[in-house]
Amino acid sequence: MGVIEEGAKKSSVLWLSLDRPRLAWHTWHDDAIYLVTGGGEQPLPGLAEAEEVRVTLRSKDNGGRLVAFDASVEVVDQAQAPDAVAALAKERLNAPDGTRLLERWAAASKVIRLVPREPA
């Protein structure tokens, strides 16, 4: 298991370099990071429109930077990726509408897939 996968699996949060550093919760699924934005979920301005984003994972043990890397950004067709959306929904804590969460996401949120890029 690589350092990116290990770090993403051990911690449920990461930092994204957007308009400013933004903390976001996520899940690791099928060799990628999945997160959700909009529709009452975490605001991540500009992420859905970006082609690439800088991601920083921190150590769950001491909070120090574990790894930083660039990732390609893909907006997920939620109907075509039910396993990824289900994995992400499983990690959503304290949702105000637990039984209707997937409906709300389909109507108003964007699920984003971040694929780590190989270092140049």
Side-chain angles (χ1 to χ4, degrees), residues 64-79:
R65 187 178 84 148
L66 183 63
V67 64
F69 56 94
D70 293 322
S72 63
V73 178
E74 303 169 12
V75 176
V76 174
D77 179 339
Q78 296 179 49

Side-chain angles (χ1 to χ4, degrees), residues 10-27:
K10 285 186 175 183
S11 179
S12 61
V13 296
L14 52 72
W15 290 93
L16 300 172
S17 296
L18 296 169
D19 58 331
R20 62 178 171 79
R22 298 265 182 173
L23 182 67
W25 66 271
H26 72 280
T27 193

Side-chain angles (χ1 to χ4, degrees), residues 32-95:
I33 293 167
Y34 286 83
L35 43 83
V36 63
T37 185
E41 296 296 340
Q42 55 198 346
L44 301 170
L47 181 61
E49 296 77 28
E51 291 182 19
E52 186 174 273
V53 67
R54 186 78 173 166
V55 179
T56 302
L57 298 173
R58 298 200 171 272
S59 168
K60 192 170 183 175
D61 297 329
N62 63 21
R65 187 178 84 148
L66 183 63
V67 64
F69 56 94
D70 293 322
S72 63
V73 178
E74 303 169 12
V75 176
V76 174
D77 179 339
Q78 296 179 49
Q80 297 297 314
D83 291 346
V85 174
L88 186 59
K90 181 180 169 189
E91 298 300 319
R92 175 59 165 98
L93 303 177
N94 304 315

